């Protein structure tokens, strides 16, 4: 350790005598609070800590630590109270040297009295302790932030579970009522207007399968082929997206499209109800406190739950899921959903400014292990970032409303490793890929 010149002289002159040097084992008490002390100690190697006990409450707290090159016993020695203000205990095996009140100044004609010679010691010691106190304060603040975040997420989880329960009831009513309305309409038309039932059934069964671009392209063809107006051509392109249009549709096109539209709306309402129910189940499960592992968990199903939870984040992202038929494993659904959500959400954030953002998820089984790869076409992650990305407190997110505490991928790694699995990251200009391996047994 580099020492200022004056301080180095003090160490060389006063703390190099073997007769005034001792070794202490970790756990040894060197000084006791309010106990006698007439020595100034210098730490040659190791680490010790000073604790202060409140006489009224009996509570004890560590107030400082001293490492190699630092001093303790400063107050009792220089103030000559001969009473230790703290209890000092060796945290590690240490070697310490000392001087006592009988020690005479060396070369006083040049360097002055003992107090004058040791003035750099006192100033240096105060500066060292202030720096260490500041670092400990920062560590405590970081620990508090983690605690607050954990408490906040716990509260959000509890709220999510409660809200999901209420939404589940509402979604259940909407789904059952939609089914009832659909059955009533079908019965009514079969009894009173059977000729329009095929159009209603087509809308209910198939819905609209064509994309907006496909509809526009086909509408132009149908408009010229059957001399239709623009709105009719577009609606017919939605109802009959491929092949020739049956004559049955063209006999009374407006009525056919009207009842197809009703069927399509019922189809969409049923799909929306199922989708909402799936999201509610996923939120309820993610907000649950039960992390118990259970048999027969389908990893593909947990990925589907994660994608349902991230619908709003994935609106502009093309997601390709290539699942293989996988054996089930003993796992916590909540933990696995948390893993996929963190990785996919990070990918969405990384691709904020990427044109045509794309995520590909592949699952397969090999050599008694499940292999899950989640890749995206976002910007390359530099090597210096890749080395730190699983470390706690490391984050590239700045400001905003995002939880940029750097805990997500650290938690992901911890969960994966708790299953005896591994997680690795590769990144190049074309693709960034997370590769997770989970043992089946």
């Amino acid at each position: 350790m580099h020492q200022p010149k004056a301080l180095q002289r003090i160490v060389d002159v006063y703390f190099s005598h073997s007769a005034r040097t001792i070794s202490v084992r970790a756990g040894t008490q060197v000084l006791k609070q309010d106990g006698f002390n007439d020595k100034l100690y210098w730490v040659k190697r190791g680490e010790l800590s000073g604790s202060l006990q409140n006489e009224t409450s009996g509570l004890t707290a560590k107030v400082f630590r001293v490492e190699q090159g630092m001093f303790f016993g400063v107050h009792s020695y220089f103030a000559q109270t001969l009473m230790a203000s703290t209890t000092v205990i060796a945290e590690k095996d240490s070697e310490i040297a000392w001087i006592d009140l009988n020690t005479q100044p060396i070369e006083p004609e040049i360097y002055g009295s003992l107090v004058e010679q040791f003035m750099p010691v006192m100033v240096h010691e105060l500066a060292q302790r202030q720096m260490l106190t500041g670092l400990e304060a920062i560590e405590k603040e970081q620990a508090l932030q983690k605690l607050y975040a954990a408490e906040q997420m716990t509260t959000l989880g509890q709220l999510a579970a409660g809200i999901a329960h209420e939404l589940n009831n509402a979604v259940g009513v909407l789904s059952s009522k939609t089914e009832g309305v659909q059955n009533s309409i079908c019965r009514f038309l079969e009894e009173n207007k059977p000729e329009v039932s095929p159009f209603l059934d087509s809308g209910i069964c198939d819905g609209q399968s064509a994309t907006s671009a496909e509809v526009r392209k086909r509408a132009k063809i149908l408009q010229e082929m059957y001399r239709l107006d623009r709105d009719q051509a577009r609606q017919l392109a939605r109802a009959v997206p491929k092949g020739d249009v049956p004559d049955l549709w063209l006999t009374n096109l407006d009525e056919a499209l009207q009842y197809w539209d009703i069927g399509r709306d019922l189809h969409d309402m049923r799909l929306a109800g199922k989708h909402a129910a799936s999201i509610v189940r996923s939120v309820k499960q993610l907000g649950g406190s039960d992390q118990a592992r259970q048999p027969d968990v389908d990893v593909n199903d947990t990925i589907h739950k994660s994608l349902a939870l991230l619908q709003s984040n994935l609106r502009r992202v093309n997601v390709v899921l290539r699942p293989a038929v996988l054996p089930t494993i003993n796992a916590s659904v909540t933990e696995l959903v948390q893993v996929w959500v963190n990785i996919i959400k990070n990918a969405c954030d990384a691709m904020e400014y990427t044109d045509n953002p794309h995520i590909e998820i592949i699952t397969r089984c090999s050599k008694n292990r499940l292999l899950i790869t989640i890749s995206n076409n976002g910007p390359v992650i530099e090597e210096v970032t890749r080395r730190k990305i699983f470390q706690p407190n490391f984050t590239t997110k700045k400001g905003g409303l995002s939880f940029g505490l750097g805990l997500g991928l650290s938690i992901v790694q911890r969960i994966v490793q708790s299953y005896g699995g591994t997680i690795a990251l590769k990144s190049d200009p074309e693709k960034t890929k997370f590769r997770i391996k989970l043992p089946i047994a």
Side-chain angles (χ1 to χ4, degrees):
M1 179 182 292
H2 175 72
Q3 300 274 20
K5 187 175 180 180
L7 185 57
Q8 186 62 54
R9 174 188 171 272
I10 292 290
V11 171
D12 293 341
V13 170
Y14 290 99
F15 295 97
S16 59
H17 300 288
S18 58
R20 296 202 302 264
T21 302
I22 59 171
S23 297
V24 292
R25 304 280 295 177
T28 302
Q29 179 179 282
V30 180
L31 294 178
K32 183 178 181 181
Q33 183 176 334
D34 298 330
F36 177 79
N37 178 52
D38 64 347
K39 295 179 176 63
L40 173 68
Y41 293 92
W42 177 71
V43 182
K44 191 172 182 179
R45 64 175 177 83
E47 181 182 327
L48 303 95
S49 65
S51 300
L52 185 66
Q53 184 178 50
N54 185 288
E55 294 180 0
T56 304
S57 65
L59 295 175
T60 301
K62 288 184 180 180
V63 291
F64 68 85
R65 75 173 187 269
V66 285
E67 302 170 342
Q68 179 179 336
M70 297 179 66
F71 295 83
F72 64 96
V74 176
H75 177 260
S76 55
Y77 183 82
F78 285 107
Q80 296 190 12
T81 63
L82 305 184
M83 185 183 293
S85 57
T86 56
T87 296
V88 178
I89 296 176
E91 297 289 340
K92 303 176 181 177
D93 291 349
S94 304
E95 190 174 1
I96 54 178
W98 79 84
I99 60 172
D100 58 24
L101 293 178
N102 296 320
T103 303
Q104 297 300 312
I106 297 174
E107 299 182 288
E109 66 281 0
I110 300 176
Y111 297 102
S113 67
L114 202 63
V115 171
E116 290 172 325
Q117 291 188 39
F118 272 82
M119 183 61 70
V121 171
M122 291 184 283
V123 173
H124 181 75
E125 181 68 17
L126 287 173
Q128 286 281 87
R129 291 197 184 184
Q130 185 177 26
M131 182 183 70
L132 289 175
T133 301
L135 292 174
E136 288 174 354
I138 291 172
E139 290 174 359
K140 288 179 181 178
E141 181 61 30
Q142 290 174 338
L144 281 174
Q145 287 181 0
K146 290 182 186 177
L147 185 63
Y148 294 153
E151 178 66 24
Q152 185 178 39
M153 295 309 293
T154 299
T155 302
L156 286 174
Q158 293 170 347
L159 288 173
I163 293 171
H165 178 74
E166 296 300 324
L167 286 175
N168 195 48
N169 293 335
V171 169
V173 171
L174 288 173
S175 296
S176 63
K177 296 298 182 184
T178 299
E179 199 76 28
V181 169
Q182 176 182 308
N183 292 336
S184 297
I185 292 174
C186 288
R187 281 197 304 270
F188 176 82
L189 292 179
E190 286 172 1
E191 294 171 2
N192 298 279
K193 287 182 72 72
E195 70 276 8
V196 300
S197 291
F199 311 119
L200 181 76
D201 291 342
S202 175
I204 290 173
C205 295
D206 302 327
Q208 179 182 326
S209 59
T211 65
S212 298
E214 290 169 341
V215 167
R216 287 194 296 270
K217 185 177 180 180
R218 180 163 170 81
K220 291 180 181 178
I221 297 171
L222 296 178
Q223 189 173 3
E224 294 180 4
M225 184 179 297
Y226 298 107
R227 299 185 182 280
L228 305 175
D229 63 43
R230 183 180 175 187
D231 290 339
Q232 281 183 321
R234 286 203 171 186
Q235 191 70 342
L236 184 58
R238 295 186 183 99
V240 188
K242 295 178 181 179
D244 296 331
V245 178
D247 292 338
L248 187 64
W249 285 83
L250 300 172
T251 303
N252 190 343
L253 183 58
D254 287 336
E255 187 175 56
L257 293 176
Q258 178 185 3
Y259 284 98
W260 176 86
D261 198 38
I262 294 173
R264 189 269 311 269
D265 289 346
L266 289 169
H267 174 274
D268 290 350
M269 289 166 67
R270 285 190 297 111
L271 276 186
K274 290 179 180 178
H275 181 59
S278 173
I279 292 175
V280 167
R281 284 195 300 271
S282 298
V283 171
K284 191 174 182 179
Q285 193 153 34
L286 192 63
S289 59
D290 185 10
Q291 303 278 334
R293 296 179 183 180
Q294 56 195 28
D296 301 326
V297 171
D298 183 353
V299 168
N300 288 329
D301 182 57
T302 65
I303 293 174
H304 283 295
K305 291 181 187 299
S306 305
L307 295 174
L309 283 168
L310 292 169
Q311 279 297 304
S312 60
N313 301 91
L314 295 169
R315 292 194 190 283
R316 58 180 291 270
V317 179
N318 178 37
V319 179
V320 176
L321 177 59
R322 304 187 193 279
V325 177
L326 302 177
T328 58
I329 62 172
N330 185 49
S332 161
V333 172
T334 302
E335 285 183 334
L336 293 184
V337 168
Q338 189 174 11
V339 169
W340 317 136
V341 164
N342 268 299
I343 295 174
I344 297 169
K345 174 66 166 60
N346 274 345
C348 292
D349 293 342
M351 295 188 295
E352 183 179 359
Y353 302 108
T354 300
D355 294 331
N356 302 315
H358 179 87
I359 291 177
E360 183 178 47
I361 304 171
I362 302 173
T363 67
R364 61 189 179 94
C365 179
S366 175
K367 297 180 181 178
N368 210 33
R369 284 180 175 268
L370 302 185
L371 307 178
I372 302 96
T373 59
I374 304 175
S375 57
N376 68 78
N377 63 338
V380 64
I381 300 177
E382 300 298 336
E383 183 180 354
V384 65
T385 301
R386 292 201 301 272
R387 288 199 301 267
K388 298 178 181 178
I389 203 162
F390 294 111
Q391 295 178 4
N393 303 320
F394 179 76
T395 178
T396 57
K397 299 174 184 176
K398 306 295 181 185
L401 298 176
S402 179
F403 287 100
L405 297 176
L407 299 176
L409 290 179
S410 173
I411 292 172
V412 164
Q413 186 183 55
R414 178 180 58 78
I415 292 174
V416 171
Q417 290 176 346
S418 75
Y419 284 88
T422 60
I423 180 169
L425 169 65
K426 291 184 178 180
S427 186
D428 56 45
E430 292 184 2
K431 182 183 295 186
T432 293
K433 178 190 295 185
F434 283 90
R435 183 181 177 89
I436 299 96
K437 297 181 181 180
L438 296 174
I440 295 173

